[in-house]
Amino acid sequence: MKTPLMELYEQRKDEIENCLKKLRESDKCMDWGNFASVRRRPMIATVIYYLQQYAGYADGVSIKELRAFLYCIYLVEKDKYEKMVSSMVWCPLEQTLEEITGRLVKINSDGKYEVNLEEFKQKEKNRKLTYWKVLRPICEKAERICNYMLNPLNVRPEGITVEEFFEKGFSEKDLDKLIDAYESAWEKEKTLYADGYAKLLISVAEYYEKKPNKYEDEEILEKYGKLCEKLCKVINERKHEMPILNRMIIDTFEVESYIKANYGNELNYKLVNTLERIASELGIYHEVYGALYYGMEFKFKKDRNKKNEKKERKKERKKIDLKQLVKPEGITVEEFFEKGFSEEDLDELINAYESAWEKEKTIYADGYLKLLISIAEYYEKEHEKFSSDEFLRKIYEIFENAKLPVYKKLAAKYYIRASDIATSVSLIYSPQQNYPEEAEKYLKMAVEFNEKAIKLGIVPKFHSITLNNLGTHYYEMNRSEEALPILKKALEYAKTPKEKGLIMHNLALTYADLGKKRDAVRCMIKSICIHYKTQHEFGHVTLYNEDIDRIIKMTGDVNTDIYALKVALDLVGGNLTVEEAKKFLDLIDRSEWPLTDALLSILSGEEYKVPEGLEECSTLLEDVVKVVEYVRRRNDRK
């Protein structure tokens, strides 16, 4: 007899394999001291223990069953960054199992993997089972998801929403089966299942209603119509006992939904009459009549389509003409209008240039930029016309017409798009490709275009990164004097910790290259502390060593706060004892270096303050306090 996990694997093999492959970083991996890679081993062993002890797999787990269960864990975690499951599939599962076989797990006579149950039970009892506290609740939810996917149609009187259904690991393709199951239950027990069935139908209709371009998708429209028919049956049975439907009949379905579902075919008059009668009894006839009128108009869609066919043919001819205008040297808005085109055709022209640029970036880059800047300047002039005409401006203010600010937004939009294109091209000509002059040209363009957007009152989302790219280029070209003001300006525009950390890192290298030791040390400390505070996990600290050693080498001084930072990280990571850390810190002048002073205060049991200007290090200092307190409690017990 197949186990639930084996059955799930066979049902969803491709989906499971694709999911795990996507989560995995590579086909083969080496640890190289990376903690996220190392922790996969005890985690996998703990998962196998859970399956043996709590999920009915006492005889062990096959690799296919384990894959299916990891997929269920992914479904539990998919809205939480997949931290656990990503770690467990960091390397191929076969590789991890091979590494832990003989140590944490063994292969039994059936070829399945199992752990020493008595040993793991004892660890669980003593609260020493690795990652158990985190993994157990996740595994319990994963087991429920597995069971629900194998037995999904658990029809309940209170019903279920689409969101709840998807949370259990199902997808849109499973909805029809669920609806059929509820309809079958309702046919047998109409009084019992009416509200639950209606709740499901309404939720499904709302789900389809949120689909983009739903009126252009005949398949969705057909489903819409069927849902409307099913709902009408439920309403007809219990119209006076279902207040939940009084307004939903208008808000969600309406007669037009069904008419549009028929895509211009003859009206379903039986359905229309039923809806009219129900609406009259519910007191919402006028709303239904309005919807019906709109739907009747839709009936003539086919007639209108004949007229639209001519417009479509005209559009196709225009597309051919537009493609002939796509040239490496580009075109301006004025030249475009002179050829008989209008403002409405600009989007098509942009798409044509975008397509050409995507295929041959270096050939069409300048022409595409010329077009984008020309469009931005065109809208900027239109904005100036309206804003300078006081009479027009007041008219637009009175009638709340949005065209005035729209021109400004459009101008900024195309300046920002031009900046993005210039940045993309600069990466092709980066210093590593031996075209630094070309890279610099486009990096400067990117900054210039963003600044034009800023003058219009719209700050580009990634302006700090654009400035950082130019500043980093100057640094890599041994022009740190020019890099420094650019990077400082980039820091002013940085919005997220990630942006600030990156720019601080590059500022530190620039300061060090200019011989400004104190500034270099301060910026690198802030950069590392930002990363530690916002992205760092599980105590692994060796990834910062390279940056720390680089600053020490560039400044030529080991006895600064940058080394104090290394000591603090090693202490938190378990690489140093408190006594060893204090010994290293005593070599640094605490009166000169504030981070050293704060760390020595903590290690000596004194009160400390987060150094002024190093507020980013608060989390690291708190972790040092926790380590010191833990050591003291342990010593007291001895």
Side-chain angles (χ1 to χ4, degrees):
M1 183 178 176
K2 293 179 183 177
T3 63
L5 286 174
M6 182 58 73
E7 189 176 344
L8 178 64
Y9 182 83
E10 291 178 356
Q11 286 182 10
R12 303 195 175 208
K13 178 180 177 182
D14 292 341
E15 190 175 340
I16 291 170
E17 293 294 347
N18 289 337
C19 172
L20 299 183
K21 185 176 181 180
K22 185 179 178 181
L23 288 170
R24 193 170 66 238
E25 300 238 340
S26 63
D27 292 330
K28 185 172 176 63
C29 75
M30 298 295 289
D31 289 340
W32 293 330
N34 193 306
F35 198 77
S37 178
V38 173
R39 64 195 176 109
R40 62 193 159 87
R41 300 167 184 158
M43 279 185 172
I44 290 292
T46 301
V47 167
I48 293 173
Y49 168 67
Y50 174 85
L51 290 171
Q52 281 185 258
Q53 178 66 12
Y54 295 98
Y57 293 79
D59 296 331
V61 187
S62 70
I63 192 166
K64 290 181 179 179
E65 291 169 333
L66 194 53
R67 285 181 186 280
F69 196 65
L70 290 175
Y71 170 71
C72 294
I73 291 177
Y74 161 74
L75 294 176
V76 174
E77 292 195 300
K78 66 180 180 180
D79 295 326
K80 301 177 182 178
Y81 314 105
E82 303 95 36
K83 288 183 181 178
M84 290 297 171
V85 72
S86 294
S87 299
M88 285 188 274
V89 296
W90 180 276
C91 298
L93 191 55
E94 294 87 348
Q95 181 182 338
T96 302
L97 289 170
E98 183 181 345
E99 290 171 5
I100 62 176
T101 299
R103 296 165 52 202
L104 296 174
V105 303
K106 64 180 180 179
I107 303 176
N108 61 25
S109 57
D110 295 327
K112 295 186 175 183
Y113 295 90
E114 60 181 28
V115 298
N116 186 323
L117 279 177
E118 293 304 319
E119 179 184 341
F120 272 70
K121 283 180 188 177
Q122 193 61 39
K123 285 183 179 180
E124 181 187 352
K125 184 178 179 181
N126 297 334
R127 299 183 180 180
K128 292 183 179 180
L129 185 54
T130 311
Y131 300 113
W132 181 244
K133 187 176 181 181
V134 177
L135 278 173
R136 180 169 183 174
I138 293 174
C139 287
E140 288 172 346
K141 290 179 182 178
E143 186 182 359
R144 287 199 296 273
I145 283 180
C146 172
N147 293 333
Y148 202 96
M149 280 192 286
L150 295 173
N151 303 284
L153 308 180
N154 183 16
V155 179
R156 296 170 296 176
E158 66 271 19
I160 189 172
T161 65
V162 171
E163 292 74 18
E164 293 167 343
F165 188 59
F166 288 170
E167 283 174 5
K168 296 180 182 298
F170 296 96
S171 61
E172 186 178 319
K173 64 184 181 182
D174 302 311
L175 282 176
D176 288 341
K177 292 180 182 178
L178 183 66
I179 292 171
D180 291 343
Y182 266 88
E183 184 171 20
S184 177
W186 175 73
E187 289 287 354
K188 296 174 183 176
E189 292 284 348
K190 291 187 176 180
T191 304
L192 181 62
Y193 289 100
D195 287 338
Y197 184 29
K199 175 182 176 181
L200 171 63
L201 291 174
I202 290 168
S203 178
V204 174
E206 288 176 327
Y207 170 73
Y208 285 131
E209 201 170 36
K210 293 173 185 176
K211 291 267 189 179
N213 303 320
K214 60 178 177 294
Y215 293 135
E216 298 173 15
D217 190 328
E218 291 190 48
E219 184 179 348
I220 292 178
L221 290 171
E222 184 179 350
K223 290 180 179 179
Y224 231 109
K226 289 180 179 178
L227 287 169
C228 189
E229 282 189 293
K230 291 177 186 294
L231 184 70
C232 281
K233 289 181 183 178
V234 181
I235 297 172
N236 209 28
E237 291 288 335
R238 295 188 59 204
K239 52 184 175 290
H240 295 299
E241 300 173 45
M242 299 180 66
I244 186 175
L245 299 174
N246 285 15
R247 304 305 303 179
M248 292 306 295
I249 187 174
I250 298 302
D251 297 337
T252 309
F253 299 102
E254 298 186 336
V255 181
E256 66 169 293
S257 299
Y258 183 80
I259 296 168
K260 289 183 179 182
N262 282 275
Y263 235 68
N265 293 340
E266 285 297 316
L267 290 172
N268 185 331
Y269 287 105
K270 182 179 179 181
L271 175 62
V272 169
N273 292 335
T274 301
L275 278 173
E276 284 184 316
R277 178 172 54 78
I278 294 170
S280 179
E281 292 175 3
L282 295 176
I284 53 174
Y285 181 79
H286 292 292
E287 290 92 331
V288 171
Y289 186 81
L292 175 63
Y293 179 81
Y294 184 84
M296 289 284 286
E297 190 270 339
F298 192 82
K299 178 183 175 183
F300 304 103
K301 177 182 175 68
K302 288 184 177 179
D303 295 334
R304 294 200 302 274
N305 279 348
K306 289 179 182 178
K307 296 178 182 179
N308 292 336
E309 284 176 4
K310 292 182 180 179
K311 292 182 180 179
E312 290 299 323
R313 285 196 293 271
K314 189 176 179 181
K315 276 186 179 180
E316 289 300 320
R317 287 197 298 271
K318 190 174 283 187
K319 282 183 181 178
I320 296 172
D321 294 338
L322 285 171
K323 288 180 180 178
Q324 294 174 354
L325 299 178
V326 178
K327 299 176 182 178
E329 63 270 21
I331 189 173
T332 65
V333 171
E334 291 75 16
E335 293 168 344
F336 185 59
F337 290 167
E338 286 172 5
K339 294 183 181 294
F341 294 95
S342 66
E343 185 178 325
E344 294 177 355
D345 303 313
L346 282 174
D347 284 342
E348 293 293 335
L349 181 65
I350 292 168
N351 291 338
Y353 265 90
E354 177 86 19
S355 178
W357 176 75
E358 286 288 353
K359 295 175 183 176
E360 295 286 350
K361 293 194 174 182
T362 55
I363 293 177
Y364 289 97
D366 289 339
Y368 190 20
L369 287 172
K370 177 181 176 180
L371 171 63
L372 291 170
I373 295 305
S374 176
I375 294 172
E377 290 173 347
Y378 166 75
Y379 284 122
E380 194 170 4
K381 288 175 184 176
E382 291 297 309
H383 169 69
E384 289 170 358
K385 284 181 188 177
F386 279 99
S387 58
S388 61
D389 191 318
E390 188 174 349
F391 174 75
L392 279 176
R393 184 171 55 78
K394 286 184 177 180
I395 291 294
Y396 275 82
E397 286 176 0
I398 291 170
F399 291 100
E400 298 182 349
N401 192 303
K403 201 163 188 177
L404 177 60
V406 161
Y407 282 137
K408 183 166 68 171
K409 289 178 182 177
L410 285 171
K413 170 187 171 181
Y414 288 109
Y415 278 131
I416 294 169
R417 179 58 183 150
S419 176
D420 293 341
I421 297 297
T423 298
S424 180
V425 176
S426 73
L427 298 176
I428 301 172
Y429 295 114
S430 62
Q432 290 81 357
Q433 301 297 327
N434 297 320
Y435 294 102
E437 295 83 6
E438 288 294 316
E440 184 173 326
K441 167 188 163 185
Y442 287 103
L443 286 169
K444 285 182 175 179
M445 280 186 185
V447 172
E448 177 190 346
F449 299 151
N450 272 351
E451 288 176 346
K452 287 179 181 289
I454 293 171
K455 285 181 181 178
L456 291 168
I458 297 174
V459 179
K461 185 177 180 181
F462 298 109
H463 186 49
S464 65
I465 300 301
T466 306
L467 288 165
N468 175 74
N469 293 341
L470 180 59
T472 304
H473 170 81
Y474 285 144
Y475 168 77
E476 290 173 349
M477 298 304 296
N478 299 316
R479 293 155 61 186
S480 295
E481 295 86 356
E482 296 174 72
L484 187 59
I486 299 294
L487 291 172
K488 283 183 175 180
K489 191 174 181 180
L491 191 60
E492 294 174 10
Y493 284 97
K495 298 175 183 176
T496 67
K498 191 173 182 179
E499 290 176 16
K500 291 176 182 177
L502 173 65
I503 296 166
M504 281 288 186
H505 177 275
N506 293 327
L507 267 172
L509 299 179
T510 304
Y511 276 127
D513 195 50
L514 292 171
K516 298 183 178 183
K517 177 173 67 176
R518 188 170 290 278
D519 289 327
V521 169
R522 176 179 54 83
C523 286
M524 186 57 78
I525 289 174
K526 289 165 81 73
S527 173
I528 291 174
C529 283
I530 287 172
H531 187 278
Y532 182 94
K533 184 175 183 178
T534 59
Q535 302 176 52
H536 174 71
E537 292 180 359
F538 301 107
H540 179 51
V541 296
T542 56
L543 72 159
Y544 304 124
N545 286 346
E546 184 178 343
D547 292 333
I548 292 172
D549 293 341
R550 190 173 181 183
I551 291 297
I552 291 173
K553 184 177 180 180
M554 292 180 75
T555 59
D557 190 353
V558 70
N559 293 321
T560 69
D561 266 352
I562 196 67
Y563 191 73
L565 176 65
K566 178 178 173 61
V567 171
L569 291 168
D570 282 339
L571 178 61
V572 170
N575 300 324
L576 287 177
T577 65
V578 172
E579 292 74 17
E580 289 170 336
K582 193 170 184 301
K583 181 179 178 182
F584 285 124
L585 291 172
D586 282 335
L587 299 174
I588 305 171
D589 186 352
R590 68 186 296 177
S591 64
E592 183 180 358
W593 298 102
L595 182 60
T596 301
D597 183 54
L599 289 169
L600 282 170
S601 296
I602 294 171
L603 298 182
S604 302
E606 304 169 1
E607 289 188 11
Y608 79 98
K609 290 184 180 179
V610 177
E612 187 176 349
L614 293 178
E615 290 79 8
E616 296 84 353
C617 295
S618 59
T619 300
L620 176 61
L621 292 172
E622 289 169 5
D623 288 349
V624 172
V625 170
K626 291 176 184 176
V627 171
V628 173
E629 289 177 350
Y630 170 76
V631 171
R632 284 177 184 155
R633 287 196 301 270
R634 187 182 62 186
N635 292 337
D636 290 342
R637 286 198 295 268
K638 292 181 180 179

